[in-house]
């Protein structure tokens, strides 16, 4: 299942049932899990781990050195979770020492064509990045985040679970979980009701998240004032706690 024109370093560890297409390049210190498919002309650079049952399409560049002037050849890593799909011309860079040395793509991500994930980024499970979405360095995406096409996300931004970022947005501050954000610069547009319904969130959960959202963003309170009111007036279900904890811990500032 390995095409004879593929170039594979002898130190690469390739598990069973891996398919590698024509003219693919697999460098040293790489591990590829069972059932993964590597498309033609794909390059997987050194210090990369690819999980099981991934599918990497043609011309992807996986694990190249970070595009960071502070990087001077240090040994850093990229880890890609099992079940992830990486489409044509996607680029993912390894980490930097400053950022902890790791870039991590979670399980069952779907990275559409021309997506770029920069150094030291971390994505949760079942994240979707649409065509030409761009993640600057040190970005963190929670689970089940969806990012529309042509979105640019600034370095060090964090985006919470189940958030949805509309296409052609520029995101410069943190996006709380469970919300929709869009625009240049991005602003919030309420809860991600469609996404919450698709993931079977209960009516009670959505209602309590809506109460918390209104208190935080609709009546002109500071974060401290809003936190006190949410604790007093909204049922403290796990989703509300997650929503408020994300906002309270933000160091970059919250999109409003």
């Amino acid at each position: 299942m390995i095409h004879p024109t593929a170039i594979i370093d002898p130190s690469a560890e390739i598990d069973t049932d891996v398919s590698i297409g024509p003219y693919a390049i697999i460098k040293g210190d790489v591990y590829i899990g069972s059932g993964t498919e590597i498309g033609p002309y794909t390059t997987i650079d050194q210090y990369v781990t690819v999980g099981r049952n991934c599918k990497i399409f043609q011309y992807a560049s996986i694990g190249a050195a970070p595009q960071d002037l502070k990087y001077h050849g240090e040994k850093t890593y990229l880890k890609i979770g099992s079940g992830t799909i990486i489409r044509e011309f996607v680029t993912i860079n390894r980490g930097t020492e400053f950022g902890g040395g790791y870039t991590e793509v979670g399980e069952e991500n779907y990275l559409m064509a021309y997506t770029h994930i920069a150094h030291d980024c971390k994505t949760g499970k079942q994240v979707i990045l649409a065509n030409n979405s761009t993640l600057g360095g040190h970005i963190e995406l929670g689970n089940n985040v969806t990012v529309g096409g042509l979105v640019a996300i600034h370095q060090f931004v964090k985006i919470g679970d189940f958030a949805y970022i509309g296409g052609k947005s520029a995101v410069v501050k943190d996006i709380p979980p469970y919300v929709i954000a869009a625009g240049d610069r991005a602003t919030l547009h309420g809860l991600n009701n469609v996404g919450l319904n698709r993931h079977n969130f209960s009516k009670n959960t959505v209602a309590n998240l809506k109460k918390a959202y209104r208190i935080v963003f609709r009546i002109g309170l500071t974060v401290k004032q809003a936190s006190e009111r949410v604790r007093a007036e909204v049922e403290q279900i796990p989703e509300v706690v997650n929503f408020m904890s994300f906002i309270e811990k933000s160091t970059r500032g919250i999109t409003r």
Side-chain angles (χ1 to χ4, degrees), residues 148-152 165-170 183-184:
L150 297 167
V151 170
I165 314 301
K168 208 176 177 182
S169 296
D184 181 12

Side-chain angles (χ1 to χ4, degrees), residues 44-62:
I44 300 183
D45 221 300
Q46 58 187 352
Y47 313 130
V48 174
T49 298
V50 181
R52 296 175 291 102
N53 300 317
C54 295
K55 189 169 184 178
I56 303 176
F57 282 69
Q58 58 268 28
Y59 295 102
S61 175
I62 310 300

Side-chain angles (χ1 to χ4, degrees), residues 3 5 15-16 29 46 48 56 81 99 108 119 144 150 176 198 201 203 207:
H3 196 276
T5 61
D15 212 332
T16 57
D29 297 297
Q46 58 187 352
V48 174
I56 303 176
E108 299 178 8
H119 57 88
N144 300 97
L150 297 167
R198 284 177 177 171
F201 281 73
K203 291 182 179 179

Side-chain angles (χ1 to χ4, degrees), residues 27-47:
K27 296 188 179 181
D29 297 297
V30 167
Y31 172 78
I32 302 175
S34 64
T36 289
E37 300 177 28
I38 309 296
Y41 297 97
T42 289
T43 297
I44 300 183
D45 221 300
Q46 58 187 352
Y47 313 130

Side-chain angles (χ1 to χ4, degrees), residues 1-8 14-15 18-22 26:
M1 301 182 72
I2 298 176
H3 196 276
T5 61
I7 301 172
I8 302 173
I14 299 172
D15 212 332
V18 171
S19 171
I20 300 177
I26 313 295

